[in-house]
Amino acid sequence: MASKAREKLAGAVPFTYQVVDGGQVRSVAGGVIDEQLLAIYVNGESLATMMCSPLQLEALTVGFLYNEAVIDSAAEIGLLQLNQKQSVADVILTRDDVALPRRMILTTGCGGGVTGQELSKEFPALESSYRTEPARLLRLMRQLQGAARLYNAVRGVHTAVLGDESGLLVSAEDVGRHNAVDKVAGQALLAGINTRDKILLTSGRISSEMLGKARRMGVPVVASRTAPTSVTVELAQAWRICVVGYVRQGGMRVYTNGWRLGLD
């Protein structure tokens, strides 16, 4: 029977599984990641349907609208209301002249997300002289690992954090790595935190869509525990974004714009 502590773990569902180790089999009362459908409506029009973790759904909605260029600030949202089942987010904007992207159906993003914006090297580079140091990325990655509450409990979830020289600012977890980044953007907007010239770290692969979200947020340094894709590297070079992979155990791989980390 599931313990009360596990029953209260938001974002996870109690589940008993078997562990096979060295020929021995034992049952473990643990859990699995919860996943649900969220439909987003803007001014009564369907915008997107996505699979996500049932956590920080307001932040996910706000961050998604911002990263898809539907809004430029949280002040443009007149009303944001979730239904009782937390499966529908109704957003009423303070203006009527809204050109919504085509309706999107998003998976959890493990195979690459879908975006309403066409990512291209035609976008202007970030006008930022921001610089930091490798040691800062290592410290923030340790803080990301500490903030990964769901991952540390039941695994199967991605974590994203936004930080600066003072440390971690906001964090989020979700079954989709794209969703986690949107949640970070949404939390920052709702809290009045300027995302420009900050550092974005993620536990998952840095896809081109994720780099596009970072560019929208004005983030000049994006780091991960894993790797970027080839398109990500091309876009990062054009956008003057420093992309860093495999940040772990005191080391890292700097793929683009190493000058932002003080490298030649």
Side-chain angles (χ1 to χ4, degrees), residues 1-2 6 13-18 26-32:
M1 185 173 181
R6 285 189 296 106
V13 176
F15 191 85
T16 299
Y17 53 86
Q18 291 180 299
R26 57 189 174 90
S27 293
V28 175
V32 293

Side-chain angles (χ1 to χ4, degrees), residues 133-262:
E133 56 185 5
R136 168 55 57 195
L137 299 188
L138 293 171
R139 286 193 289 270
L140 282 172
M141 186 58 74
R142 287 194 292 270
Q143 289 181 293
L144 179 149
Q145 293 166 348
R149 181 181 59 87
L150 267 178
Y151 177 83
N152 292 330
V154 294
R155 301 294 193 264
V157 69
H158 288 288
T159 308
V161 302
L162 187 73
D164 62 10
E165 304 311 305
S166 67
L168 187 149
L169 298 172
V170 295
S171 66
E173 291 182 278
D174 199 280
V175 287
R177 61 185 188 277
H178 301 84
N179 294 344
V181 173
D182 283 336
K183 286 180 177 180
V184 163
Q187 285 188 73
L189 282 172
L190 292 171
I193 298 173
N194 191 336
T195 58
R196 297 192 65 83
D197 286 346
K198 301 297 189 299
I199 303 170
L200 178 67
L201 288 92
T202 174
S203 60
R205 183 178 69 253
I206 307 174
S207 67
S208 56
E209 295 95 340
M210 289 180 67
L211 194 75
K213 294 177 186 294
R215 179 196 172 280
R216 169 70 174 161
M217 295 163 64
V219 172
V221 179
V222 180
S224 171
R225 283 183 54 81
T226 59
T229 67
S230 61
V231 177
T232 297
V233 171
E234 291 178 8
L235 290 170
Q237 289 173 329
W239 291 340
R240 299 178 74 237
I241 295 177
C242 177
V243 168
V244 185
Y246 296 98
V247 182
R248 56 180 74 177
Q249 298 178 350
M252 62 191 68
R253 297 180 187 178
V254 181
Y255 291 88
T256 60
N257 295 295
W259 60 270
R260 292 197 184 275
L261 298 183

Side-chain angles (χ1 to χ4, degrees), residues 1-10 12 14 29-30:
M1 185 173 181
S3 68
K4 291 182 179 179
R6 285 189 296 106
E7 288 174 353
K8 293 181 179 180
L9 181 60

Side-chain angles (χ1 to χ4, degrees), residues 35-86:
E35 183 179 26
Q36 73 166 48
L37 195 71
L38 177 67
I40 299 177
Y41 287 79
V42 176
N43 289 356
E45 184 177 344
S46 176
L47 172 62
T49 300
M50 63 183 69
M51 299 303 299
C52 63
S53 295
L55 301 168
Q56 302 170 314
L57 296 182
E58 289 189 356
L60 172 58
T61 301
V62 173
F64 179 77
L65 294 180
Y66 177 78
N67 283 332
E68 291 298 326
V70 176
I71 62 173
D72 290 320
S73 72
E76 295 179 41
I77 297 178
L79 175 68
L80 196 169
Q81 187 172 20
L82 293 166
N83 68 341
Q84 188 173 6
K85 293 184 178 180
Q86 304 282 288

